Amino acid sequence: MYPSKEIDLKSKSFLALVLGTLTVLGFAPFYYFPVPVITILLLFHLWRSSTQSWHSAVIGFSFGMGLFGAGVTWLYVSLHDFGGMPLPIAVVALLLLCAYLSLFPALTGWFATKIRHIHFSAWAACVSACWVMSEWLRGTLFTGFPWLTLGYSQVPASPLIGYAPILGVYGISLLLVFSIALYIAWPKQKNLNHYLWILGGIWVSGYGLQHYQWVDPEGSPITVSLLQGNISQDLKWREDHLVSTMNTYADLVLESNSRLIVTPEISIPLFYEDVPTDYLTLLSDHAKQNQGDVLIGFAETVPHSIDRNEYYNSMFSMGSSPEQRYRKHHLVPFGEFIPFKPLFGWIIQVLNIPLSDFSRGSLDQQPLDLAGQKIAINICYEDVFGEEIILQLPQASILVNVSNDAWFGRSIGPRQHLQISQMRALETGRYMLRATNTGVTAIINERGQIVQELEMFVTQGLHGTAQGFKGATPYVQYGNTLVLTIIGLCLSLGGFIAFFRKEND
């Protein structure tokens, strides 16, 4: 009897691994948003049919290994191809990260079977809440890694994106998973039409909410130029390539007649203090001729003590407006700082990453007054954290993300990052302007739609217009508080029903 159960578990685990891998098709660059609906439905069927919690935990872990193993392969490119980490160490590091991330769906699977005997509606609510709580924890613990949160898979075509300005990405995850869990748990003897009414209410309401105007235009559209220098990562920090890089961006700036010109993250591989004055004057004078401003990325040195400086990943403005700056706050672990240095300090010696020990900018930085708009800047990885983006809102009228996704090469990473930016635009009701080194450079409107984008790996400027907006969506006002409150209510209600009522359907 035991061997047959073991084989059955192995089969289920393998199926879960395949389902996790296929779920990646819901995310960019594929955008097949119905695929996660099917794969999560089959995963929940495996959990619902399981009688042992640890079996479901193994199934959930296998699903996670498929999802993250296929979905974050771009990290291997960063670690090995550009970071210089030896192949065996890079593979092990990636597997360890995927294993850690897979603990969260494993927890949900364990919980799903543990409470399998409670009322079906309470089970659906509790398991959905547990799924999203685990996503939130994954995006919070140890500075967070919310990549591949299920809600992103619904951007930009699913009806559920109508809920983004209210509940954010986690709210979309919650509604998607609840729709599936309720179907899986629905008793055979109960009229399925009732479920279809609930399902239709959730999805049709989402479609209707897409047409609600949460924010209002502010002023006239401004002309913008987003510059893509296309500097190969293996050349970016080479001293003999510095002049070429500076000339590339100077030429792109001088070609633009836009009021707002944006370069990527650390587009010039110099400390701001070391940049020739005549170079900065050239850029500033051109921006003034356009009656606007240019945003340009540099590293920045700030004296901290007699024997130590602090380094920041910063964006500087120059032109018609007074000079302003933004310093990156949410840093990338092992890329921009080393956590738990006594334990992981050796990684600095293995990775070939320049400036891997940045300091954090302040969390309460305000939008920059540029080109007649209030610009909220976020640098690279920061736009993955919606609850931090809204700290500059509703004051900000336009969002700007600057990135260097050259670290991911020609992988699926840059497109996934673009999809995340689309979600931030939806949540905030603001245009998102993305200026990246190698792509994807794009203009995204307040409804999360890509208005314009550049082909990847070309040296070019993207010239267009951006409309500023004023007002606050519910998500801007309350952040993740709304969805976390709903999760708490679901778990509390489920516990109440489980305690006082036996399943009678």
Side-chain angles (χ1 to χ4, degrees), residues 166-466:
I166 306 173
L167 298 173
V169 65
Y170 294 117
I172 296 176
S173 287
L174 181 66
L175 293 168
L176 175 61
V177 174
F178 178 74
S179 300
I180 295 168
L182 188 61
Y183 173 77
I184 289 295
W186 198 268
K188 293 180 180 179
Q189 68 272 23
K190 200 172 183 65
N191 192 338
L192 191 60
N193 288 334
H194 295 160
Y195 166 76
L196 294 177
W197 277 106
I198 296 173
L199 180 68
I202 292 173
W203 286 69
V204 172
S205 296
Y207 176 77
L209 286 169
Q210 290 183 49
H211 299 86
Y212 186 82
Q213 187 72 27
W214 295 102
V215 293
D216 299 310
E218 183 171 36
S220 301
I222 63 168
T223 52
V224 299
S225 291
L226 311 177
L227 309 185
Q228 182 173 290
N230 190 33
I231 309 299
S232 176
Q233 192 59 39
D234 56 356
L235 298 176
K236 182 177 175 70
W237 293 96
R238 279 176 43 176
E239 188 174 350
D240 60 347
H241 202 263
L242 174 61
V243 174
S244 174
T245 298
M246 295 178 68
N247 289 340
T248 294
Y249 279 106
D251 291 343
L252 289 172
V253 168
L254 296 178
E255 289 171 3
S256 169
N257 296 319
S258 298
R259 290 194 64 194
L260 179 64
I261 304 172
V262 187
T263 76
E265 172 188 20
I266 311 187
S267 48
I268 307 300
L270 278 177
F271 287 107
Y272 178 71
E273 300 76 20
D274 297 332
V275 182
T277 303
D278 58 348
Y279 186 82
L280 297 177
T281 301
L282 174 70
L283 303 182
S284 178
D285 287 348
H286 182 75
K288 289 176 182 177
Q289 290 177 10
N290 295 342
Q291 297 182 324
D293 300 281
V294 58
L295 271 169
I296 188 162
F298 296 103
E300 179 187 6
T301 306
V302 177
H304 179 72
S305 61
I306 295 177
D307 58 349
R308 187 169 77 87
N309 292 332
E310 288 187 340
Y311 306 99
Y312 293 94
N313 184 345
S314 302
M315 292 296 294
F316 290 82
S317 75
M318 51 199 75
S320 299
S321 305
E323 183 179 298
Q324 300 157 76
R325 76 189 69 189
Y326 172 83
R327 293 170 174 166
K328 186 175 184 180
H329 169 78
H330 204 125
L331 304 176
V332 180
F334 304 106
E336 294 176 316
F337 81 104
I338 303 297
F340 312 113
K341 278 189 179 180
L343 183 62
F344 296 114
W346 59 272
I347 293 180
I348 297 178
Q349 308 301 323
V350 176
L351 286 174
N352 182 28
I353 298 179
L355 300 177
S356 56
D357 195 18
F358 280 111
S359 300
R360 297 180 186 275
S362 172
L363 186 60
D364 60 354
Q365 297 175 81
Q366 296 302 303
L368 277 54
D369 289 302
L370 303 173
Q373 297 287 334
K374 291 187 177 295
I375 308 297
I377 300 176
N378 50 90
I379 298 178
C380 195
Y381 187 62
E382 288 187 307
D383 71 340
V384 181
F385 302 92
E387 63 273 27
E388 295 180 8
I389 296 295
I390 62 174
L391 295 177
Q392 297 191 59
L393 295 163
Q395 295 87 350
S397 56
I398 292 175
L399 305 179
V400 168
N401 175 263
V402 294
S403 297
N404 179 24
D405 287 346
W407 282 104
F408 309 147
R410 297 182 180 274
S411 69
I412 61 178
R415 289 283 174 185
Q416 290 178 351
H417 199 179
L418 174 68
Q419 189 177 39
I420 290 170
S421 288
Q422 291 178 266
M423 179 62 76
R424 299 290 88 85
L426 280 162
E427 291 171 344
T428 60
R430 298 295 193 273
Y431 265 64
M432 172 70 87
L433 309 179
R434 301 192 78 242
T436 68
N437 177 19
T438 55
V440 180
T441 297
I443 298 174
I444 304 168
N445 69 15
E446 81 284 5
R447 297 190 180 276
Q449 300 164 337
I450 299 172
V451 179
Q452 292 175 254
E453 68 174 278
L454 281 182
E455 182 182 346
M456 294 185 67
F457 301 103
V458 298
T459 303
Q460 197 174 336
L462 177 62
H463 310 293
T465 60

